Amino acid sequence: MTELDVRALPPSERHGRVRGAFEELAPGETLTIVNDHDPKPLYREMAAEVPAFDADGYAVEREGPEEFVAEFPKADAADFDAAERTRIADLDGEPHADAFPGREPKTIRLSLELGERVPEHGHPDRTVLFHVLEGAVDVALDGDPHRVEAGEVLRFEGASAVEPTAREDSTALVVSAPRAAE
C-alpha cells in the first residue's frame, strides 16, 4: 500500500501529485492519501477522468479535525478489461447519470424536460458525441444552434462552448472521449 500525505503541499499541486502517484500503482493496489479536508472533489475528478480508478472501492474516514484518510484503489486488470453493460432507464441521477463511472470514454445519460438547459460549458481535449434517444435538443456550440432530434448524433470537439436546451422532454446519451493525439 502506498501512502501520500498532501497536507504540506500547496493546494494547487495536490491533485497532480495524487494522480501521478496513482498512475505508478500496479492494478489492484491502493493509494492512501492523508488530506486536511474531505477529498470529495478529487474523488469526483478521478471517477470522471481516470478509467483505472475503482470508484466503488473508494473510502474516506475523518481521523481528526484536519485529517481525512482516503483510499483510492486501482482496478484489477481483469476487472478493468471486462465488458460492461447497463440499461439507460436504470441509471440514477438527474439530469446527468454516469453509465460507467470512472471508465473511458465518459458516457452520460442526460435527461432534460421541455425548456430545461445545461449551462454553457466545455470539455477541453475531448471529442463529444451527442446522441438524442428521445425528444429533440438544441445544442448551441459557441452560440451556433444545432437541432438534434431522436435518432440523430452530433459530433463536436469539446473545446467548443456547449449549451444544450430541450425543445421537448428529451433523453440523450453523451459520450466524451479523450481527443486523439495529432
Side-chain angles (χ1 to χ4, degrees), residues 31-155:
L31 174 64
T32 301
I33 69 159
V34 181
N35 202 2
D36 56 8
H37 63 276
D38 187 345
K40 186 66 101 176
L42 177 61
Y43 161 78
R44 289 186 183 122
E45 176 184 317
M46 297 280 288
E49 299 176 6
V50 180
F53 173 55
D54 177 7
D56 293 333
Y58 169 81
V60 63
E61 290 188 28
R62 186 177 195 156
E63 304 265 327
E66 292 188 13
E67 184 176 353
F68 291 78
V69 178
E71 294 184 0
F72 289 81
K74 195 167 195 175
D76 286 324
D79 294 339
F80 185 66
D81 293 333
E84 296 179 73
R85 180 190 320 243
T86 191
R87 291 188 184 279
I88 299 295
D90 294 342
L91 298 175
D92 290 330
E94 294 295 332
H96 302 89
D98 195 343
F100 304 104
R103 303 289 196 247
E104 289 287 353
K106 185 80 171 153
T107 307
I108 301 294
R109 190 261 305 132
L110 177 64
S111 296
L112 299 173
E113 294 179 359
L114 170 66
E116 189 176 8
R117 70 179 181 86
V118 176
E120 185 176 84
H121 63 286
H123 300 275
D125 302 319
R126 302 188 70 84
T127 298
V128 179
L129 299 176
F130 193 98
H131 178 194
V132 176
L133 303 170
E134 298 174 344
V137 180
D138 285 332
V139 180
L141 297 174
D142 294 328
D144 184 23
H146 300 270
R147 183 175 182 164
V148 186
E149 297 182 351
E152 295 180 330
V153 178
L154 179 67
R155 180 186 182 279

Side-chain angles (χ1 to χ4, degrees), residues 161-172:
V162 59
E163 183 177 20
T165 304
R167 294 182 63 88
E168 56 190 81
D169 290 353
S170 301
T171 301

